[in-house]
Amino acid sequence: MNRKSLASRLIAALGLASGASAMAAPSTAQVEGMVAPSQAPAAWVAYAETVAETVSTWLETDDQPATAARAYIGAREASPDEPLIVKIWINPEGRLSRLDISSQKDAAATPLMREALIGRILTNAPPPEMRQPLHISLD
């Protein structure tokens, strides 16, 4: 997993998707409150891409929580039947305040990802009125 591949797999709650993830993103009709990429403000798109890059960097560190999270992701990649989607909420100060995993099948990843990411602070706070959570595909 590298920064560029993770960032290209960003799926924001706004309906943002780029690269291969566009195919995995739920349609706007499927998820109430999502905004189509073409309708999302540019600031939201740029912020979501920055979050994906930063999360990738954090998961590439050599600390134990990031290493455990990467091990789970790596083992899971052997048989990817659906992407591992991490939902992230960011408080007004830019701190990751909540994290959930979309699939019950991946419930074991939740504590690993929370330990690796919750409480971390982003360089910038989310843009005003940006919809959350952000969804990031880690496969």
Side-chain angles (χ1 to χ4, degrees):
M1 173 175 57
N2 64 49
R3 267 187 258 171
K4 186 147 182 108
S5 70
L6 181 60
S8 71
R9 295 170 185 239
L10 172 73
I11 306 169
L14 344 153
L16 303 176
S18 62
S21 291
M23 303 314 262
S27 73
T28 304
Q30 293 173 317
V31 181
E32 187 176 327
M34 289 181 71
V35 177
S38 60
Q39 296 174 344
W44 292 9
V45 175
Y47 186 77
E49 290 172 349
T50 298
V51 170
E53 285 281 337
T54 303
V55 166
S56 177
T57 298
W58 291 339
L59 290 176
E60 291 173 359
T61 63
D62 290 329
D63 65 6
Q64 193 282 326
T67 301
R70 279 195 318 275
Y72 181 89
I73 293 166
R76 188 180 189 282
E77 287 177 344
S79 60
D81 54 343
E82 63 183 72
L84 174 63
I85 306 294
V86 177
K87 298 186 290 186
I88 296 174
W89 286 261
I90 303 160
N91 74 13
E93 292 77 40
R95 182 182 303 268
L96 272 68
S97 59
R98 181 176 166 198
L99 180 146
D100 287 321
I101 303 294
S102 293
S103 171
Q104 278 299 103
K105 179 183 82 167
D106 289 307
T110 301
L112 300 173
M113 295 297 168
R114 284 181 178 158
E115 187 174 356
L117 300 172
I118 292 294
R120 298 238 188 184
I121 301 172
L122 297 156
T123 305
N124 298 308
E129 300 185 21
M130 182 173 180
R131 299 214 177 141
Q132 293 192 50
L134 299 182
H135 295 225
I136 299 175
S137 173
L138 297 179
D139 285 345

